[in-house]
Amino acid sequence: MTAHTENEIVIRAPFALVWERTNDVEHWPELFGEYSAAEILEREGDRVRFRLTMHPDGDGKVWSWVSERHADRAARTVTARRIETGPFAHMDIRWTYEEVPGGTRMRWVQDFAMKPQAPVDDAWMQENIDRNSKVQMALIRDRIEALGPAGR
């Protein structure tokens, strides 16, 4: 089985600013609430391979994994996948950006499946990712919008 989530938000900021901030992986810990570190492992053109480390969960466990992103600014899309999949059989993500009246619509589509031995199933993780995506997108929106004209 493959699980799927789709979430979007409008950020009251120009595309260029939203693109730059949300694709600046090194600074994701300042943009997202869940990451304590983002380490760039390799960069080649529009492809970046990096390690993300989360803040400890409720049990004190720290989750970390390697992902790879391919950014296509002209098409206003980013495709990503986990290289170190951990409990996932696979995790594929597509971000799209669209200029809309009043700002930029950012959309995340995530397709994934959990490994049979994972501690949770696809349905549980789908609900978790869907809920958390909304939280993270709102945080990103608020942090970008707080930059005001000086950040633009």
Short mmCIF file of all heavy atoms in Angstrom, two decimals, residues 36 53-57 60-64:
data_model
loop_
_atom_site.label_atom_id
_atom_site.label_comp_id
_atom_site.label_asym_id
_atom_site.label_seq_id
_atom_site.Cartn_x
_atom_site.Cartn_y
_atom_site.Cartn_z
N SER A 36 16.33 20.18 14.39
CA SER A 36 17.38 20.78 15.21
C SER A 36 18.63 21.04 14.39
O SER A 36 19.45 21.88 14.75
CB SER A 36 17.71 19.89 16.40
OG SER A 36 18.25 18.65 15.96
N THR A 53 18.07 16.35 11.18
CA THR A 53 17.96 15.80 12.52
C THR A 53 16.83 16.53 13.22
O THR A 53 16.77 17.76 13.19
CB THR A 53 19.28 15.98 13.30
OG1 THR A 53 20.34 15.36 12.56
CG2 THR A 53 19.19 15.37 14.69
N MET A 54 15.95 15.77 13.81
CA MET A 54 14.79 16.34 14.50
C MET A 54 15.13 16.61 15.97
O MET A 54 16.07 16.04 16.52
CB MET A 54 13.59 15.40 14.41
CG MET A 54 13.12 15.19 12.98
SD MET A 54 11.63 14.19 12.88
CE MET A 54 10.41 15.40 13.33
N HIS A 55 14.32 17.45 16.58
CA HIS A 55 14.39 17.61 18.04
C HIS A 55 13.95 16.28 18.66
O HIS A 55 13.18 15.52 18.05
CB HIS A 55 13.46 18.73 18.50
CG HIS A 55 13.89 20.09 18.01
ND1 HIS A 55 15.01 20.73 18.48
CD2 HIS A 55 13.34 20.91 17.08
CE1 HIS A 55 15.13 21.89 17.87
NE2 HIS A 55 14.14 22.03 17.02
N PRO A 56 14.38 15.97 19.87
CA PRO A 56 13.96 14.71 20.51
C PRO A 56 12.43 14.62 20.59
O PRO A 56 11.75 15.62 20.83
CB PRO A 56 14.58 14.80 21.91
CG PRO A 56 15.71 15.76 21.77
CD PRO A 56 15.28 16.74 20.71
N ASP A 57 11.92 13.41 20.37
CA ASP A 57 10.47 13.20 20.49
C ASP A 57 10.09 13.07 21.97
O ASP A 57 10.94 13.23 22.85
CB ASP A 57 10.00 12.01 19.65
CG ASP A 57 10.54 10.66 20.12
OD1 ASP A 57 11.04 10.55 21.27
OD2 ASP A 57 10.46 9.70 19.34
N GLY A 60 12.29 11.01 24.01
CA GLY A 60 13.70 11.39 24.02
C GLY A 60 14.49 10.87 22.84
O GLY A 60 15.70 11.08 22.74
N LYS A 61 13.82 10.18 21.90
CA LYS A 61 14.51 9.64 20.72
C LYS A 61 14.73 10.76 19.70
O LYS A 61 13.85 11.57 19.45
CB LYS A 61 13.69 8.53 20.09
CG LYS A 61 14.30 8.01 18.79
CD LYS A 61 14.14 6.53 18.63
CE LYS A 61 14.66 6.00 17.32
NZ LYS A 61 16.08 6.11 17.13
N VAL A 62 15.93 10.78 19.13
CA VAL A 62 16.27 11.75 18.08
C VAL A 62 16.27 11.01 16.75
O VAL A 62 17.00 10.04 16.58
CB VAL A 62 17.65 12.39 18.36
CG1 VAL A 62 18.05 13.30 17.21
CG2 VAL A 62 17.62 13.16 19.67
N TRP A 63 15.45 11.47 15.81
CA TRP A 63 15.35 10.88 14.49
C TRP A 63 16.22 11.68 13.52
O TRP A 63 16.24 12.91 13.57
CB TRP A 63 13.91 10.86 14.00
CG TRP A 63 13.02 10.03 14.86
CD1 TRP A 63 12.28 10.44 15.93
CD2 TRP A 63 12.77 8.63 14.73
NE1 TRP A 63 11.60 9.38 16.48
CE2 TRP A 63 11.88 8.26 15.75
CE3 TRP A 63 13.23 7.65 13.85
CZ2 TRP A 63 11.43 6.96 15.91
CZ3 TRP A 63 12.78 6.35 14.00
CH2 TRP A 63 11.89 6.01 15.03
N SER A 64 16.91 10.98 12.63
CA SER A 64 17.77 11.62 11.65
C SER A 64 17.77 10.78 10.39
O SER A 64 17.66 9.54 10.45
CB SER A 64 19.19 11.75 12.21
OG SER A 64 20.04 12.38 11.30
#
